[in-house]
Amino acid sequence: MALVGGYLAYLFRHQLAWPNEPVPGFGQVGPDQYNMFVTMHGTIMVFWVAMPILLSGFGNFLLPLMIGARDMAFPRLNRLSYWTFFLSTVVLIVSFFVPGGAFAGGWTIYPPLSAEPGYTGVVWGGNLWILAVALEFVSMLMGGINFMTTTLSLRAKGMALFRMPIFVWMINVASILFMFSVGPLIAGAFMLLADRTLQVGFFLPAAGGDPLLFQHLFWFFGHPEVYVLLLPALGIIAEILPVFSRKPLFGYRPIIYSTLIAGVLSFVVWAHHQFISGIDPRLAMPFSITTILISVPFAFSLFAYIATLWKGSISFSTAMLFALGMIAEFLLGGVTGIVNGSTAADIYVHDTYFVVAHFHYTLFPVTFLATFAGIYYWYPKLFGRFLSEFWGKVHFTLTLIGFNLAFLPLFSVGIAGHHRRIFDPSAFEFLHRIQHLHVLATVGLIILLTGQIPFILNFFLSLRRGRLAEANPWQANTLEWIAPSPPGHRNFETDPVVVRGPYEYSVPGAAKDWLSQGEAS
């Protein structure tokens, strides 16, 4: 699905850079197709790439290994979750081929544009979009129940809560956030479906409905969703930094406390997405304060990560490079988010390309840089072989250059007043002077996309040709490195017993600079 989402980005970015010229490999992009491609790009990247990789993919593989469990608590529920997700993917793909094509009303599905099919000319594409998202959410809910039950009931002997790796904490907090936030959006989605098919009028002004209500329901889920994606990514980075700096993770317990505080705050920030939507102006200030306040616990976590590096014996493996790249790029995304949290500044940049740039500097490092860091780090555990470090560094270099070239110019485009929902920028004279920035961004995107070819080849070729890896090639402490590589059925040859915390590196007086968290019983 990431390839589909990336290809859609290439199509509409080409249109923005060279308006109304045929796209190589596709042809002419029309206005309706442009709307469809933007909508489906956002949908796929958030719901079908970021969530399943970070939460389900890494969570299902690593969580039982890290707590010393032989399997998830409910294997059959896990299988049902997988096939429900597969069905949701099929439904979404089918929506491209129904009459009228896939949904084209924006990935945030704001009514009344989405509530009345006549506005976009997309009937079944919109209905299937809602069905696919609902199925995907059901799949994620089943996964979340499994994560929490497994963590609470199947931890190895000695694995106290404050001996669990940060990644396990992050997966569980993310699952709780998802469970508490998704209900209103599911209700809103069914109300929207009723508007589209039965003309009920929940969100249609002509029928007495309120489109602003849907925005509340969407963003009550939508903003915690950002942290549902962010927390597993921060967990991945927390596992990698101590290993490649040979130091304990700085502020283990404060990171957990700050994550819990951020989780609570995430439920009272949603309306900053609606500063210009017509909400009561008296609500703007409280939501502005909570939005800026939530940056404090995350800033603490990131500075704790940076402090972990201080005076460490750092080795720049590919996994470490992606981890450092994630922190650097995400900091830029976080800092620019403060602009959006301030009412006065947000009114100016709202719905411009500044928001697009901020959004991508937040979610791209989380979704892709952290994922790549995790793949390069745990690939030896997954397959018993190493990925090529040389091609990994080529991949990292092209990804970082392409990403910054693609999205850094968009901050300037947004500040220049470019609205993000314009199909043909050449139709507006005041945008002509910044057209070269669109060209630059599109060239960056092409570099970014082609930069993934070394990774794909490296991933599959290393399955057979990669250097063989021992069980603990990085000399790491957490329990997954006790298991064979790759882990066999039931994960461990003997049940591990946890005797210390997960990040005890370079302990004074110890014979070696790492101390495994567990011992065989």
Side-chain angles (χ1 to χ4, degrees):
M1 292 301 280
L3 295 177
V4 176
Y7 180 64
L8 295 176
Y10 160 69
L11 296 179
F12 65 73
R13 269 257 117 246
H14 189 283
Q15 161 63 24
L16 289 168
W18 298 283
N20 304 316
E21 293 184 15
V23 181
F26 180 79
Q28 196 73 40
V29 173
D32 293 340
Q33 288 175 313
Y34 177 87
N35 288 337
M36 180 198 307
F37 295 160
V38 172
T39 299
M40 297 309 288
H41 165 76
T43 301
I44 288 172
M45 286 304 191
V46 172
F47 298 126
W48 272 268
V49 177
M51 281 181 67
I53 289 178
L54 291 166
L55 205 57
S56 304
F58 282 106
N60 275 301
F61 176 66
L62 291 173
L63 188 140
L65 283 168
M66 283 183 162
I67 64 171
R70 292 194 172 275
D71 201 346
M72 298 293 283
F74 305 120
R76 288 187 177 86
L77 185 68
N78 227 11
R79 187 184 302 173
L80 182 61
S81 170
Y82 171 81
W83 285 111
T84 304
F85 177 76
F86 180 79
L87 179 62
S88 75
T89 308
V90 171
V91 171
L92 192 75
I93 295 295
V94 166
S95 74
F96 280 94
F97 302 101
V98 296
F103 189 51
W107 77 274
T108 52
I109 56 170
Y110 280 175
L113 190 61
S114 59
E116 174 52 61
Y119 292 154
T120 59
V122 178
V123 181
W124 276 105
N127 297 341
L128 291 175
W129 188 99
I130 295 172
L131 177 61
V133 171
L135 287 169
E136 200 260 2
F137 285 174
V138 170
S139 166
M140 292 296 152
L141 280 172
M142 288 190 278
I145 292 168
N146 221 351
F147 290 141
M148 290 191 290
T149 310
T150 303
T151 303
L152 291 175
S153 61
L154 296 183
R155 299 196 308 278
K157 184 180 179 182
M159 179 63 86
L161 290 179
F162 284 109
R163 281 182 172 174
M164 292 195 309
I166 289 288
F167 178 80
V168 177
W169 274 99
M170 296 294 187
I171 286 286
N172 280 277
V173 176
S175 299
I176 293 170
L177 292 187
F178 183 78
M179 286 182 180
F180 279 101
S181 64
V182 77
L185 181 58
I186 291 177
F190 280 109
M191 292 160 72
L192 184 63
L193 191 62
D195 276 4
R196 291 177 60 86
T197 55
L198 305 174
Q199 287 76 50
V200 175
F202 287 116
F203 307 121
L204 288 170
D210 183 4
L212 194 58
L213 170 62
F214 184 85
Q215 292 192 27
H216 283 291
L217 296 175
F218 182 89
W219 287 115
F220 184 80
F221 161 79
H223 206 81
E225 165 71 359
V226 174
Y227 307 120
V228 170
L229 305 179
L230 170 62
L231 295 184
L234 290 179
I236 291 171
I237 303 304
E239 302 308 320
I240 292 173
L241 293 180
V243 174
F244 293 103
S245 59
R246 313 310 294 172
K247 278 189 62 188
L249 182 68
F250 184 86
Y252 169 79
R253 287 199 182 203
I255 288 174
I256 294 170
Y257 296 141
S258 66
T259 301
L260 296 174
I261 292 170
V264 173
L265 284 174
S266 71
F267 289 104
V268 289
V269 298
W270 80 90
H272 75 251
H273 294 274
Q274 300 166 245
F275 282 156
I276 68 164
S277 297
I279 63 169
D280 189 325
R282 290 169 295 184
L283 281 176
M285 182 59 73
F287 277 104
S288 183
I289 291 172
T290 55
T291 300
I292 294 172
L293 197 62
I294 200 172
S295 63
V296 175
F298 285 118
F300 174 83
S301 295
L302 288 175
F303 284 120
Y305 288 3
I306 294 170
T308 302
L309 303 172
W310 178 251
K311 293 186 177 181
S313 179
I314 298 173
S315 55
F316 292 99
S317 68
T318 305
M320 186 64 162
L321 289 174
F322 272 108
L324 296 175
M326 184 273 175
I327 293 173
E329 304 291 5
F330 181 75
L331 276 173
L332 186 53
V335 169
T336 53
I338 294 174
V339 176
N340 297 113
S342 168
T343 315
D346 183 69
I347 288 172
Y348 178 74
V349 300
H350 187 87
D351 258 347
T352 69
Y353 271 95
F354 185 93
V355 177
V356 176
H358 156 69
F359 188 74
H360 283 83
Y361 267 93
T362 304
L363 284 191
F364 185 89
V366 166
T367 305
F368 289 101
L369 298 186
T371 293
F372 288 139
I375 290 175
Y376 281 100
Y377 179 57
W378 280 296
Y379 190 92
K381 181 54 59 183
L382 270 163
F383 302 109
R385 292 180 182 273
F386 286 97
L387 285 165
S388 164
E389 279 289 305
F390 172 77
W391 287 111
K393 289 181 170 67
V394 171
H395 174 217
F396 170 76
T397 305
L398 291 174
T399 299
L400 221 66
I401 292 173
F403 169 68
N404 285 294
L405 205 57
F407 294 103
L408 205 55
L410 298 188
F411 284 117
S412 299
V413 172
I415 291 172
H418 193 324
H419 195 281
R420 62 173 167 162
R421 303 190 194 283
I422 292 175
F423 163 69
D424 180 3
S426 65
F428 299 87
E429 190 176 342
F430 79 100
L431 296 178
H432 290 177
R433 61 187 178 84
I434 56 172
Q435 184 59 29
H436 65 285
L437 294 177
H438 272 310
V439 174
L440 194 62
T442 304
V443 170
L445 179 73
I446 293 170
I447 294 173
L448 176 62
L449 293 176
T450 53
Q452 307 315 305
I453 294 173
F455 169 71
I456 295 170
L457 293 176
N458 191 9
F459 187 96
F460 288 106
L461 291 176
S462 295
L463 291 173
R464 286 186 173 276
R465 300 181 184 179
R467 183 163 54 90
L468 288 173
E470 56 190 282
N472 189 1
W474 310 121
Q475 299 184 334
N477 290 355
T478 42
L479 285 188
E480 76 270 25
W481 301 107
I482 293 178
S485 297
H489 184 58
R490 311 289 287 173
N491 286 341
F492 298 95
E493 293 173 351
T494 57
D495 291 332
V497 175
V498 177
V499 294
R500 58 180 63 87
Y503 306 112
E504 296 190 13
Y505 292 95
S506 303
V507 176
K512 53 188 180 182
D513 71 349
W514 61 283
L515 295 172
S516 177
Q517 193 180 10
E519 295 175 348
S521 61

